[in-house]
Amino acid sequence: KIYGFNLPVFVLCKELDIPYEYVPVKMKEGEHKSEQFLANMHPFGQIPVMIVRLSLHFSFSRCLLGI
C-alpha cells in the first residue's frame, strides 16, 4: 500500500511491474497529522508512506526510489 500521492513512486512501481494499492490521504482535512497516522504511519506526518508488510514501512520518495 502506498499512502499519499507521489508520481515518481507510482511510475517506478508501474515500470518494475510491482503491484501496489494507492490509499489517498486527505491532506486538506489534516488526515496526515491525525493521531492515528502519526502513531501508525509516520511520526512527522509526511507522505508518501509505503507499507511492505506490517512491520516494514518506508517513507520519503527518495527512500522509496532507492536514490
Side-chain angles (χ1 to χ4, degrees):
K1 292 184 178 184
I2 299 175
Y3 290 81
F5 182 80
N6 188 280
L7 186 59
V9 174
F10 294 137
V11 170
L12 178 70
C13 288
K14 289 286 189 187
E15 289 294 319
L16 297 178
D17 201 29
I18 298 171
Y20 67 91
E21 178 185 342
Y22 167 62
V23 181
V25 177
K26 300 174 187 169
M27 294 190 65
K28 286 187 178 182
E29 287 82 11
E31 184 179 354
H32 64 298
K33 298 293 184 181
S34 70
E35 288 183 32
Q36 182 180 4
F37 193 90
L38 296 174
N40 297 323
M41 302 296 172
H42 193 286
F44 301 116
Q46 297 178 342
I47 59 168
V49 174
M50 177 183 235
I51 298 179
V52 178
R53 57 180 182 259
L54 286 176
S55 62
L56 184 58
H57 296 201
F58 292 103
S59 59
F60 305 110
S61 60
R62 289 185 183 202
C63 177
L64 297 173
L65 295 172
I67 295 174

